[in-house]
């Protein structure tokens, strides 16, 4: 059996970190991915709140897999310094919560602009973020969110290779690829596997874009997870179910739906010989 580390977006469960952790532990997880706590985004938590959150995590015997920041989930027209400043706050959260990973994105654009139109501006900003991460000793993992520059495999690869930093890696999301018309494993896995360092788990239907539990959609999850198993992947598998609500900053599931998503994932990983803990 191949061991992976199970985690999940705590705020998909409940605003209260204690409830988040209780549900994750019931699913057998030892890690939590932090996007918000008490209804406050992780980059907006003050020092007292960060200390309180760290204490909750520590007292319950958990650890933090990643800071699920909103960095780069803004229009590319904003100044470079805007997201570098927010990244500094995400880095502080990573220090206090003792995690090496910070999730980021590669910028939205105005409707009249194409991806090619913003490429240079995106790369300037992504390079600045990577240099900031290098100085801080953290690793940025780029999520392929729909409608950002890096929403399809070729542009994700463009960002990673053009920036050329060991501190900028790929956070892979099958459902988001489905929602932009990509067959994740067929169209993207071979390109991005050399850079893939973090796995976020949800599925989606190609016909409607609706998010569904792992294995219930068109995200080629079985093929993807089997290939990762065979390639020796041994990192995090982080649940991000989005089963009851999806919005600009993320999504929500609630304890019951989150549990259903966790059980669906474990059914699939059990079948392919991957253990989650």
């Amino acid at each position: 059996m191949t061991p992976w580390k199970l985690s999940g977006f705590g705020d998909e469960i409940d605003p209260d970190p204690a409830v988040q952790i209780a549900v994750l532990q019931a699913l057998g997880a030892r890690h939590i991915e932090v996007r918000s706590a008490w209804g406050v985004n992780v980059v907006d938590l003050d020092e007292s709140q960060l200390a309180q959150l760290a204490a909750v995590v520590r007292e319950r015997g958990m650890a933090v897999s990643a800071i699920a920041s909103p960095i780069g989930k803004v229009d590319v027209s904003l100044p470079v310094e805007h997201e570098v400043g927010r990244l500094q706050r995400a880095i502080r959260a990573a220090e206090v919560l003792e995690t090496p990973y910070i999730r980021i994105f590669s910028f939205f654009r105005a409707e009249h602009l194409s991806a090619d139109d913003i490429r240079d501006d995106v790369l300037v900003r992504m390079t600045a973020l990577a240099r900031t991460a290098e100085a801080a000793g953290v690793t940025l993992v780029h999520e392929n969110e729909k409608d950002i520059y890096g929403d399809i495999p070729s542009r994700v690869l463009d960002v990673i290779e053009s920036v050329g930093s060991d501190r900028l890696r790929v956070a892979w999301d099958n459902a988001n690829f489905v929602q932009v018309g990509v067959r994740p494993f067929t169209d993207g896995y071979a390109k991005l596997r050399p850079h893939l360092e973090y796995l976020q788990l949800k599925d989606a239907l190609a016909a409607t874009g609706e998010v569904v539990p792992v294995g219930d959609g068109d995200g080629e999850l079985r093929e993807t997870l089997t290939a990762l198993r065979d390639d020796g992947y041994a990192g995090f598998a982080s649940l991000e179910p989005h089963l009851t609500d999806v919005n600009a900053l993320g999504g929500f599931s609630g304890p019951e739906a989150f549990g259903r998503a966790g059980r669906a994932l474990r059914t699939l990983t059990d079948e392919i010989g991957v253990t989650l803990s």
Side-chain angles (χ1 to χ4, degrees), residues 66-126:
I67 301 300
S69 86
I71 307 304
K73 211 170 189 180
V74 298
D75 194 276
V76 72
S77 63
L78 288 171
V80 176
E81 295 77 17
H82 183 277
E83 291 303 85
V84 170
R86 292 211 301 168
L87 179 58
Q88 293 286 7
R89 296 200 294 275
I91 289 169
R92 178 57 183 159
E95 292 171 348
V96 174
L97 297 173
E98 299 181 338
T99 179
Y101 292 116
I102 298 173
R103 178 197 64 167
I104 65 167
F105 304 90
S106 54
F107 298 91
F108 294 119
R109 61 185 180 273
E111 289 186 6
H112 68 281
L113 296 175
S114 70
D116 287 343
D117 290 334
I118 67 166
R119 179 180 182 270
D120 289 349
D121 288 335
V122 166
L123 294 181
V124 166
R125 285 153 179 77
M126 296 300 289

Short mmCIF file of all heavy atoms in Angstrom, two decimals, residues 66-126:
data_model
loop_
_atom_site.label_atom_id
_atom_site.label_comp_id
_atom_site.label_asym_id
_atom_site.label_seq_id
_atom_site.Cartn_x
_atom_site.Cartn_y
_atom_site.Cartn_z
N ALA A 66 -1.05 23.17 4.32
CA ALA A 66 -0.78 24.32 3.45
C ALA A 66 -1.62 25.51 3.88
O ALA A 66 -2.67 25.36 4.50
CB ALA A 66 -1.09 23.98 2.00
N ILE A 67 -1.14 26.69 3.51
CA ILE A 67 -1.92 27.92 3.61
C ILE A 67 -2.65 28.09 2.28
O ILE A 67 -2.01 28.28 1.24
CB ILE A 67 -1.02 29.14 3.88
CG1 ILE A 67 -0.23 28.96 5.18
CG2 ILE A 67 -1.85 30.42 3.90
CD1 ILE A 67 -1.06 28.78 6.42
N ALA A 68 -3.96 28.00 2.29
CA ALA A 68 -4.75 28.13 1.05
C ALA A 68 -5.07 29.60 0.82
O ALA A 68 -6.19 30.06 0.99
CB ALA A 68 -6.02 27.30 1.15
N SER A 69 -4.06 30.33 0.42
CA SER A 69 -4.18 31.78 0.30
C SER A 69 -4.96 32.16 -0.96
O SER A 69 -5.07 31.37 -1.91
CB SER A 69 -2.80 32.43 0.25
OG SER A 69 -2.30 32.46 -1.08
N PRO A 70 -5.45 33.40 -1.03
CA PRO A 70 -6.08 33.92 -2.25
C PRO A 70 -5.11 34.68 -3.14
O PRO A 70 -5.54 35.39 -4.05
CB PRO A 70 -7.15 34.86 -1.69
CG PRO A 70 -6.49 35.45 -0.48
CD PRO A 70 -5.62 34.34 0.10
N ILE A 71 -3.82 34.55 -2.90
CA ILE A 71 -2.83 35.32 -3.64
C ILE A 71 -2.93 35.00 -5.14
O ILE A 71 -2.92 33.84 -5.55
CB ILE A 71 -1.41 35.02 -3.14
CG1 ILE A 71 -1.30 35.21 -1.62
CG2 ILE A 71 -0.38 35.87 -3.89
CD1 ILE A 71 -1.70 36.57 -1.14
N GLY A 72 -3.02 36.03 -5.95
CA GLY A 72 -3.12 35.84 -7.39
C GLY A 72 -4.54 35.63 -7.89
O GLY A 72 -4.77 35.52 -9.09
N LYS A 73 -5.49 35.61 -6.99
CA LYS A 73 -6.90 35.47 -7.39
C LYS A 73 -7.51 36.87 -7.47
O LYS A 73 -8.57 37.15 -6.91
CB LYS A 73 -7.65 34.60 -6.39
CG LYS A 73 -8.79 33.79 -7.00
CD LYS A 73 -9.35 32.78 -6.03
CE LYS A 73 -10.34 31.85 -6.72
NZ LYS A 73 -10.90 30.83 -5.80
N VAL A 74 -6.80 37.73 -8.17
CA VAL A 74 -7.20 39.12 -8.36
C VAL A 74 -6.89 39.50 -9.81
O VAL A 74 -6.20 38.78 -10.53
CB VAL A 74 -6.45 40.08 -7.40
CG1 VAL A 74 -6.77 39.76 -5.95
CG2 VAL A 74 -4.94 40.01 -7.65
N ASP A 75 -7.37 40.66 -10.24
CA ASP A 75 -7.11 41.10 -11.59
C ASP A 75 -5.63 41.45 -11.77
O ASP A 75 -5.01 42.05 -10.89
CB ASP A 75 -7.97 42.32 -11.94
CG ASP A 75 -7.99 42.60 -13.43
OD1 ASP A 75 -7.05 43.27 -13.92
OD2 ASP A 75 -8.93 42.14 -14.10
N VAL A 76 -5.10 41.08 -12.91
CA VAL A 76 -3.68 41.29 -13.17
C VAL A 76 -3.31 42.77 -13.27
O VAL A 76 -2.13 43.13 -13.22
CB VAL A 76 -3.27 40.53 -14.46
CG1 VAL A 76 -3.84 41.23 -15.70
CG2 VAL A 76 -1.77 40.35 -14.56
N SER A 77 -4.30 43.63 -13.40
CA SER A 77 -4.02 45.07 -13.51
C SER A 77 -3.56 45.69 -12.19
O SER A 77 -3.01 46.80 -12.19
CB SER A 77 -5.26 45.82 -14.01
OG SER A 77 -6.32 45.70 -13.08
N LEU A 78 -3.76 45.00 -11.08
CA LEU A 78 -3.31 45.53 -9.79
C LEU A 78 -1.79 45.58 -9.76
O LEU A 78 -1.12 44.76 -10.39
CB LEU A 78 -3.84 44.67 -8.65
CG LEU A 78 -5.33 44.78 -8.35
CD1 LEU A 78 -5.77 43.72 -7.36
CD2 LEU A 78 -5.67 46.17 -7.83
N PRO A 79 -1.21 46.53 -9.02
CA PRO A 79 0.25 46.63 -8.97
C PRO A 79 0.91 45.36 -8.43
O PRO A 79 0.31 44.63 -7.63
CB PRO A 79 0.49 47.80 -8.01
CG PRO A 79 -0.78 48.56 -7.98
CD PRO A 79 -1.88 47.57 -8.21
N VAL A 80 2.12 45.12 -8.86
CA VAL A 80 2.89 43.96 -8.39
C VAL A 80 2.91 43.92 -6.86
O VAL A 80 2.76 42.87 -6.23
CB VAL A 80 4.32 44.00 -8.94
CG1 VAL A 80 5.14 42.86 -8.36
CG2 VAL A 80 4.32 43.95 -10.46
N GLU A 81 3.10 45.09 -6.26
CA GLU A 81 3.27 45.17 -4.81
C GLU A 81 2.02 44.71 -4.05
O GLU A 81 2.11 44.30 -2.89
CB GLU A 81 3.62 46.60 -4.40
CG GLU A 81 4.96 47.10 -4.93
CD GLU A 81 4.92 47.48 -6.40
OE1 GLU A 81 3.81 47.67 -6.94
OE2 GLU A 81 6.02 47.59 -7.00
N HIS A 82 0.87 44.79 -4.70
CA HIS A 82 -0.38 44.42 -4.02
C HIS A 82 -0.34 42.97 -3.56
O HIS A 82 -0.59 42.67 -2.38
CB HIS A 82 -1.57 44.64 -4.98
CG HIS A 82 -2.91 44.35 -4.36
ND1 HIS A 82 -3.44 43.08 -4.28
CD2 HIS A 82 -3.81 45.18 -3.78
CE1 HIS A 82 -4.62 43.13 -3.68
NE2 HIS A 82 -4.87 44.40 -3.37
N GLU A 83 -0.01 42.06 -4.46
CA GLU A 83 0.01 40.65 -4.08
C GLU A 83 1.28 40.25 -3.35
O GLU A 83 1.26 39.34 -2.52
CB GLU A 83 -0.21 39.76 -5.31
CG GLU A 83 -1.61 39.86 -5.88
CD GLU A 83 -2.69 39.54 -4.86
OE1 GLU A 83 -3.08 40.47 -4.12
OE2 GLU A 83 -3.14 38.39 -4.80
N VAL A 84 2.37 40.93 -3.61
CA VAL A 84 3.59 40.64 -2.83
C VAL A 84 3.33 40.97 -1.37
O VAL A 84 3.73 40.22 -0.46
CB VAL A 84 4.79 41.43 -3.38
CG1 VAL A 84 5.98 41.34 -2.41
CG2 VAL A 84 5.19 40.90 -4.76
N GLY A 85 2.64 42.07 -1.11
CA GLY A 85 2.31 42.43 0.27
C GLY A 85 1.41 41.41 0.92
O GLY A 85 1.60 41.04 2.09
N ARG A 86 0.41 40.94 0.18
CA ARG A 86 -0.47 39.91 0.75
C ARG A 86 0.28 38.59 0.94
O ARG A 86 0.01 37.86 1.90
CB ARG A 86 -1.69 39.71 -0.14
CG ARG A 86 -2.65 40.90 -0.16
CD ARG A 86 -4.08 40.48 -0.37
NE ARG A 86 -4.30 39.76 -1.62
CZ ARG A 86 -5.43 39.12 -1.89
NH1 ARG A 86 -6.42 39.08 -1.01
NH2 ARG A 86 -5.58 38.50 -3.06
N LEU A 87 1.20 38.29 0.05
CA LEU A 87 2.00 37.08 0.22
C LEU A 87 2.82 37.14 1.50
O LEU A 87 2.99 36.12 2.19
CB LEU A 87 2.91 36.86 -0.99
CG LEU A 87 3.82 35.62 -0.89
CD1 LEU A 87 3.00 34.34 -0.71
CD2 LEU A 87 4.71 35.52 -2.12
N GLN A 88 3.32 38.30 1.84
CA GLN A 88 4.07 38.43 3.09
C GLN A 88 3.21 38.03 4.28
O GLN A 88 3.69 37.40 5.23
CB GLN A 88 4.58 39.87 3.25
CG GLN A 88 5.63 40.30 2.24
CD GLN A 88 7.00 39.68 2.49
OE1 GLN A 88 7.18 38.82 3.35
NE2 GLN A 88 7.99 40.13 1.74
N ARG A 89 1.92 38.37 4.24
CA ARG A 89 1.04 37.97 5.33
C ARG A 89 0.77 36.47 5.31
O ARG A 89 0.67 35.83 6.36
CB ARG A 89 -0.27 38.77 5.25
CG ARG A 89 -0.07 40.26 5.44
CD ARG A 89 -1.34 41.00 5.85
NE ARG A 89 -2.36 40.99 4.81
CZ ARG A 89 -2.41 41.88 3.82
NH1 ARG A 89 -1.48 42.83 3.72
NH2 ARG A 89 -3.39 41.83 2.94
N ALA A 90 0.68 35.90 4.11
CA ALA A 90 0.51 34.45 4.00
C ALA A 90 1.76 33.73 4.51
O ALA A 90 1.67 32.67 5.15
CB ALA A 90 0.23 34.06 2.56
N ILE A 91 2.92 34.31 4.24
CA ILE A 91 4.17 33.73 4.73
C ILE A 91 4.21 33.76 6.25
O ILE A 91 4.65 32.80 6.90
CB ILE A 91 5.38 34.47 4.12
CG1 ILE A 91 5.52 34.12 2.64
CG2 ILE A 91 6.67 34.13 4.88
CD1 ILE A 91 6.51 34.99 1.89
N ARG A 92 3.74 34.85 6.82
CA ARG A 92 3.69 34.92 8.28
C ARG A 92 2.77 33.84 8.84
O ARG A 92 3.09 33.18 9.84
CB ARG A 92 3.22 36.31 8.73
CG ARG A 92 3.07 36.46 10.23
CD ARG A 92 4.36 36.14 10.96
NE ARG A 92 4.21 36.22 12.41
CZ ARG A 92 5.02 35.62 13.28
NH1 ARG A 92 6.05 34.89 12.86
NH2 ARG A 92 4.82 35.76 14.57
N ALA A 93 1.64 33.63 8.19
CA ALA A 93 0.74 32.56 8.62
C ALA A 93 1.42 31.20 8.51
O ALA A 93 1.28 30.34 9.40
CB ALA A 93 -0.53 32.58 7.79
N ALA A 94 2.16 30.98 7.43
CA ALA A 94 2.88 29.72 7.25
C ALA A 94 3.92 29.52 8.35
O ALA A 94 4.12 28.39 8.84
CB ALA A 94 3.54 29.68 5.88
N GLU A 95 4.57 30.59 8.75
CA GLU A 95 5.56 30.50 9.84
C GLU A 95 4.90 30.10 11.15
O GLU A 95 5.36 29.18 11.85
CB GLU A 95 6.28 31.84 10.00
CG GLU A 95 7.18 32.21 8.85
CD GLU A 95 7.71 33.64 8.97
OE1 GLU A 95 7.19 34.40 9.82
OE2 GLU A 95 8.62 34.01 8.19
N VAL A 96 3.82 30.78 11.50
CA VAL A 96 3.16 30.52 12.77
C VAL A 96 2.53 29.13 12.78
O VAL A 96 2.57 28.41 13.79
CB VAL A 96 2.08 31.60 13.05
CG1 VAL A 96 1.28 31.25 14.30
CG2 VAL A 96 2.74 32.97 13.20
N LEU A 97 1.96 28.72 11.65
CA LEU A 97 1.26 27.43 11.57
C LEU A 97 2.18 26.30 11.12
O LEU A 97 1.73 25.16 10.97
CB LEU A 97 0.07 27.56 10.63
CG LEU A 97 -1.00 28.55 11.10
CD1 LEU A 97 -2.06 28.75 10.03
CD2 LEU A 97 -1.64 28.10 12.41
N GLU A 98 3.43 26.62 10.88
CA GLU A 98 4.48 25.63 10.63
C GLU A 98 4.18 24.74 9.43
O GLU A 98 4.15 23.51 9.51
CB GLU A 98 4.73 24.78 11.89
CG GLU A 98 5.20 25.59 13.08
CD GLU A 98 5.46 24.75 14.31
OE1 GLU A 98 4.92 23.63 14.40
OE2 GLU A 98 6.23 25.21 15.18
N THR A 99 3.96 25.38 8.28
CA THR A 99 3.78 24.65 7.04
C THR A 99 4.67 25.24 5.96
O THR A 99 4.89 26.47 5.94
CB THR A 99 2.31 24.67 6.57
OG1 THR A 99 2.21 23.96 5.33
CG2 THR A 99 1.80 26.09 6.37
N PRO A 100 5.21 24.44 5.04
CA PRO A 100 6.08 24.97 3.99
C PRO A 100 5.34 25.42 2.74
O PRO A 100 5.95 26.03 1.86
CB PRO A 100 6.98 23.77 3.66
CG PRO A 100 6.09 22.58 3.90
CD PRO A 100 5.22 22.96 5.08
N TYR A 101 4.03 25.13 2.63
CA TYR A 101 3.30 25.34 1.39
C TYR A 101 2.31 26.49 1.47
O TYR A 101 1.57 26.62 2.45
CB TYR A 101 2.54 24.08 0.98
CG TYR A 101 3.42 22.93 0.57
CD1 TYR A 101 3.43 21.75 1.31
CD2 TYR A 101 4.24 23.00 -0.54
CE1 TYR A 101 4.23 20.68 0.95
CE2 TYR A 101 5.05 21.95 -0.92
CZ TYR A 101 5.04 20.79 -0.17
OH TYR A 101 5.84 19.74 -0.54
N ILE A 102 2.26 27.29 0.39
CA ILE A 102 1.26 28.34 0.24
C ILE A 102 0.66 28.23 -1.16
O ILE A 102 1.39 28.31 -2.16
CB ILE A 102 1.87 29.75 0.42
CG1 ILE A 102 2.45 29.91 1.82
CG2 ILE A 102 0.82 30.83 0.15
CD1 ILE A 102 3.21 31.22 2.03
N ARG A 103 -0.63 28.03 -1.22
CA ARG A 103 -1.32 27.96 -2.51
C ARG A 103 -1.51 29.37 -3.09
O ARG A 103 -1.85 30.30 -2.37
CB ARG A 103 -2.69 27.32 -2.33
CG ARG A 103 -3.50 27.25 -3.63
CD ARG A 103 -4.95 27.01 -3.38
NE ARG A 103 -5.59 28.11 -2.66
CZ ARG A 103 -6.91 28.26 -2.53
NH1 ARG A 103 -7.71 27.38 -3.07
NH2 ARG A 103 -7.42 29.27 -1.86
N ILE A 104 -1.29 29.48 -4.41
CA ILE A 104 -1.49 30.75 -5.10
C ILE A 104 -2.15 30.52 -6.46
O ILE A 104 -2.33 29.38 -6.89
CB ILE A 104 -0.16 31.53 -5.29
CG1 ILE A 104 0.77 30.76 -6.23
CG2 ILE A 104 0.51 31.80 -3.96
CD1 ILE A 104 1.94 31.58 -6.72
N PHE A 105 -2.45 31.63 -7.16
CA PHE A 105 -3.09 31.59 -8.47
C PHE A 105 -2.34 32.54 -9.41
O PHE A 105 -1.49 33.32 -8.97
CB PHE A 105 -4.55 32.02 -8.36
CG PHE A 105 -5.35 31.20 -7.38
CD1 PHE A 105 -5.44 31.58 -6.04
CD2 PHE A 105 -6.00 30.06 -7.79
CE1 PHE A 105 -6.16 30.83 -5.13
CE2 PHE A 105 -6.73 29.29 -6.89
CZ PHE A 105 -6.82 29.68 -5.56
N SER A 106 -2.72 32.49 -10.72
CA SER A 106 -1.97 33.30 -11.69
C SER A 106 -2.85 34.35 -12.39
O SER A 106 -2.69 34.59 -13.58
CB SER A 106 -1.28 32.41 -12.73
OG SER A 106 -2.21 31.53 -13.35
N PHE A 107 -3.76 34.96 -11.64
CA PHE A 107 -4.39 36.22 -11.99
C PHE A 107 -5.52 36.13 -13.03
O PHE A 107 -5.41 35.46 -14.04
CB PHE A 107 -3.34 37.24 -12.47
CG PHE A 107 -2.34 37.57 -11.40
CD1 PHE A 107 -1.16 36.84 -11.28
CD2 PHE A 107 -2.60 38.57 -10.49
CE1 PHE A 107 -0.25 37.13 -10.28
CE2 PHE A 107 -1.69 38.87 -9.49
CZ PHE A 107 -0.53 38.14 -9.38
N PHE A 108 -6.58 36.86 -12.71
CA PHE A 108 -7.70 37.07 -13.61
C PHE A 108 -7.39 38.22 -14.57
O PHE A 108 -6.42 38.96 -14.38
CB PHE A 108 -8.97 37.42 -12.82
CG PHE A 108 -9.48 36.30 -11.96
CD1 PHE A 108 -9.57 36.45 -10.58
CD2 PHE A 108 -9.88 35.10 -12.52
CE1 PHE A 108 -10.05 35.43 -9.78
CE2 PHE A 108 -10.36 34.07 -11.73
CZ PHE A 108 -10.45 34.24 -10.36
N ARG A 109 -8.23 38.39 -15.57
CA ARG A 109 -8.06 39.47 -16.55
C ARG A 109 -9.43 40.05 -16.91
O ARG A 109 -10.46 39.41 -16.71
CB ARG A 109 -7.37 38.95 -17.81
CG ARG A 109 -8.14 37.86 -18.53
CD ARG A 109 -7.34 37.29 -19.70
NE ARG A 109 -8.06 36.24 -20.42
CZ ARG A 109 -8.04 34.96 -20.09
NH1 ARG A 109 -7.35 34.56 -19.03
NH2 ARG A 109 -8.71 34.07 -20.82
N ALA A 110 -9.42 41.25 -17.48
CA ALA A 110 -10.66 41.87 -17.96
C ALA A 110 -11.22 41.06 -19.13
O ALA A 110 -10.47 40.40 -19.86
CB ALA A 110 -10.38 43.30 -18.39
N GLU A 111 -12.53 41.15 -19.30
CA GLU A 111 -13.20 40.32 -20.30
C GLU A 111 -12.71 40.59 -21.73
O GLU A 111 -12.72 39.68 -22.57
CB GLU A 111 -14.71 40.54 -20.23
CG GLU A 111 -15.36 39.94 -18.99
CD GLU A 111 -16.87 40.06 -19.02
OE1 GLU A 111 -17.40 40.49 -20.06
OE2 GLU A 111 -17.51 39.71 -18.01
N HIS A 112 -12.28 41.81 -22.01
CA HIS A 112 -11.85 42.14 -23.38
C HIS A 112 -10.42 41.72 -23.67
O HIS A 112 -9.95 41.88 -24.82
CB HIS A 112 -12.00 43.65 -23.63
CG HIS A 112 -11.04 44.49 -22.84
ND1 HIS A 112 -11.23 44.80 -21.51
CD2 HIS A 112 -9.87 45.09 -23.21
CE1 HIS A 112 -10.23 45.56 -21.09
NE2 HIS A 112 -9.39 45.75 -22.11
N LEU A 113 -9.73 41.16 -22.68
CA LEU A 113 -8.33 40.75 -22.87
C LEU A 113 -8.24 39.24 -23.01
O LEU A 113 -9.00 38.48 -22.40
CB LEU A 113 -7.48 41.20 -21.69
CG LEU A 113 -7.35 42.70 -21.47
CD1 LEU A 113 -6.57 42.99 -20.19
CD2 LEU A 113 -6.66 43.36 -22.68
N SER A 114 -7.27 38.79 -23.80
CA SER A 114 -7.00 37.37 -23.94
C SER A 114 -5.88 36.95 -22.99
O SER A 114 -5.19 37.80 -22.40
CB SER A 114 -6.57 37.05 -25.37
OG SER A 114 -5.27 37.60 -25.62
N ALA A 115 -5.69 35.66 -22.85
CA ALA A 115 -4.59 35.16 -22.02
C ALA A 115 -3.25 35.66 -22.55
O ALA A 115 -2.36 36.04 -21.78
CB ALA A 115 -4.61 33.64 -21.97
N ASP A 116 -3.09 35.66 -23.88
CA ASP A 116 -1.83 36.14 -24.46
C ASP A 116 -1.59 37.62 -24.12
O ASP A 116 -0.44 38.03 -23.92
CB ASP A 116 -1.85 35.97 -25.97
CG ASP A 116 -1.70 34.51 -26.40
OD1 ASP A 116 -1.28 33.69 -25.56
OD2 ASP A 116 -2.02 34.21 -27.56
N ASP A 117 -2.67 38.39 -24.05
CA ASP A 117 -2.54 39.82 -23.75
C ASP A 117 -1.91 40.07 -22.38
O ASP A 117 -1.22 41.09 -22.19
CB ASP A 117 -3.90 40.50 -23.77
CG ASP A 117 -4.50 40.61 -25.17
OD1 ASP A 117 -3.73 40.63 -26.14
OD2 ASP A 117 -5.75 40.67 -25.28
N ILE A 118 -2.16 39.18 -21.44
CA ILE A 118 -1.69 39.43 -20.07
C ILE A 118 -0.47 38.61 -19.70
O ILE A 118 0.03 38.72 -18.58
CB ILE A 118 -2.81 39.18 -19.04
CG1 ILE A 118 -3.19 37.69 -18.97
CG2 ILE A 118 -4.03 40.05 -19.34
CD1 ILE A 118 -4.04 37.32 -17.77
N ARG A 119 0.03 37.80 -20.61
CA ARG A 119 1.11 36.87 -20.26
C ARG A 119 2.29 37.58 -19.61
O ARG A 119 2.79 37.15 -18.56
CB ARG A 119 1.59 36.11 -21.50
CG ARG A 119 2.73 35.14 -21.20
CD ARG A 119 3.18 34.39 -22.45
NE ARG A 119 4.24 33.44 -22.13
CZ ARG A 119 5.55 33.72 -22.15
NH1 ARG A 119 5.96 34.96 -22.47
NH2 ARG A 119 6.44 32.80 -21.81
N ASP A 120 2.80 38.64 -20.21
CA ASP A 120 3.98 39.31 -19.67
C ASP A 120 3.71 39.84 -18.27
O ASP A 120 4.57 39.72 -17.37
CB ASP A 120 4.41 40.44 -20.58
CG ASP A 120 5.01 39.94 -21.89
OD1 ASP A 120 5.28 38.72 -21.99
OD2 ASP A 120 5.20 40.75 -22.81
N ASP A 121 2.54 40.45 -18.06
CA ASP A 121 2.20 40.98 -16.74
C ASP A 121 2.08 39.86 -15.70
O ASP A 121 2.48 40.03 -14.55
CB ASP A 121 0.90 41.77 -16.81
CG ASP A 121 1.05 43.10 -17.52
OD1 ASP A 121 2.19 43.63 -17.55
OD2 ASP A 121 0.06 43.61 -18.05
N VAL A 122 1.51 38.74 -16.12
CA VAL A 122 1.41 37.58 -15.21
C VAL A 122 2.80 37.11 -14.80
O VAL A 122 3.08 36.88 -13.61
CB VAL A 122 0.63 36.44 -15.87
CG1 VAL A 122 0.81 35.14 -15.09
CG2 VAL A 122 -0.85 36.78 -15.97
N LEU A 123 3.69 36.98 -15.76
CA LEU A 123 5.02 36.44 -15.45
C LEU A 123 5.82 37.39 -14.57
O LEU A 123 6.58 36.94 -13.69
CB LEU A 123 5.77 36.13 -16.74
CG LEU A 123 5.18 35.00 -17.58
CD1 LEU A 123 6.02 34.76 -18.83
CD2 LEU A 123 5.06 33.71 -16.76
N VAL A 124 5.66 38.68 -14.76
CA VAL A 124 6.31 39.65 -13.87
C VAL A 124 5.84 39.43 -12.44
O VAL A 124 6.65 39.39 -11.49
CB VAL A 124 6.02 41.10 -14.32
CG1 VAL A 124 6.40 42.09 -13.21
CG2 VAL A 124 6.78 41.42 -15.59
N ARG A 125 4.54 39.27 -12.26
CA ARG A 125 3.97 39.11 -10.91
C ARG A 125 4.32 37.76 -10.32
O ARG A 125 4.66 37.66 -9.13
CB ARG A 125 2.45 39.33 -10.97
CG ARG A 125 2.10 40.80 -11.11
CD ARG A 125 0.78 41.04 -11.81
NE ARG A 125 0.49 42.48 -11.89
CZ ARG A 125 1.08 43.30 -12.76
NH1 ARG A 125 1.97 42.83 -13.62
NH2 ARG A 125 0.79 44.58 -12.76
N MET A 126 4.25 36.70 -11.11
CA MET A 126 4.57 35.38 -10.59
C MET A 126 6.05 35.27 -10.23
O MET A 126 6.42 34.61 -9.26
CB MET A 126 4.19 34.31 -11.62
CG MET A 126 2.70 34.22 -11.91
SD MET A 126 1.67 33.83 -10.47
CE MET A 126 2.12 32.11 -10.20
#
